[in-house]
Amino acid sequence: MLRSALSTLHSNLPAASVQAHCDGPCGVYDPASATVSAEAVVSMTKKLLELQPPSGNDPAAWAAYNNTFSRFVAIKEEQAQQTKNELLILWTDYFKPEHLATFPNLHDIFWKAAKLCSACKVNIDQSKADELIKAVEAIHTMFWKSKGRNDAWVRAS
C-alpha cells in the first residue's frame, strides 16, 4: 500500500532534474585557503632550515631543540596536506572539462602542485616550498580568470 502511494505521488509530482558541481552545491570556492596553507609550508621550511642545533651535550637544550624541530615539521607536513586538500577540491569540484579550452595545461598544473605538496611533506627543501607557492599562484590566476575576474595575488607574509 505504501509503495502504491509513493508511486502515485512520484508520478504526479516528479522532481526536477538538477545538476551540481560537487556533493554539496554550495558554490563557495576560493584558492585563498590553499594560499594560506602553502605560505605556512614556505614559512615552516624556512624556520626549519634556520633552526640551529645546540652545541654541546646539554640535555635540556637538546630536548628544547628536538621539541621545536618536531613541532615545525608537524606543522609543515599538516599545512602541505591542507594545501593538497584545498587544491584537490578546486581541481575536482570547481574546474570542469570546458575550462580545458581556456587552460589546456590545467591538469598538469594541478598534478604538479599536488606532487609538490607531497615533496614538501617528505623533505625540508626551500626550493620545493617556493615552487609550491608559485604553483598555487598559477592556480589562483586560472581560478579568477575562469570567473572573468582579475583578482590580485596577495600573500599574507
Side-chain angles (χ1 to χ4, degrees), residues 6-128:
L6 290 175
S7 179
T8 301
L9 182 63
H10 181 340
S11 63
N12 290 322
L13 299 170
S17 294
V18 295
Q19 293 183 335
H21 61 263
C22 67
D23 299 334
C26 64
V28 179
Y29 295 104
D30 192 322
S33 51
T35 301
V36 171
S37 297
E39 284 189 74
V41 172
V42 171
S43 176
M44 297 316 295
T45 300
K46 182 178 177 186
K47 288 179 183 296
L48 281 160
L49 291 170
E50 291 173 349
L51 190 62
Q52 295 295 315
S55 57
N57 295 322
D58 178 16
W62 276 101
Y65 170 81
N66 288 332
N67 182 60
T68 300
F69 187 88
S70 299
R71 286 180 37 244
F72 287 1
V73 167
I75 293 166
K76 175 187 66 75
E77 291 185 10
E78 178 184 301
Q79 293 302 307
Q81 184 61 49
Q82 183 63 34
T83 305
K84 190 175 194 176
N85 293 344
E86 296 295 336
L87 293 177
L88 291 177
I89 289 168
L90 289 173
W91 188 14
T92 61
D93 292 350
Y94 173 74
F95 284 100
K96 312 277 184 296
E98 57 267 20
H99 289 121
L100 290 171
T102 307
F103 311 109
N105 58 347
L106 183 141
H107 291 310
D108 190 54
I109 289 171
F110 271 99
W111 183 76
K112 287 178 179 174
K115 289 293 192 181
L116 283 166
C117 291
S118 296
C120 288
K121 285 177 17 180
V122 300
N123 296 297
I124 302 172
D125 185 335
Q126 193 67 52
S127 67
K128 293 294 184 195

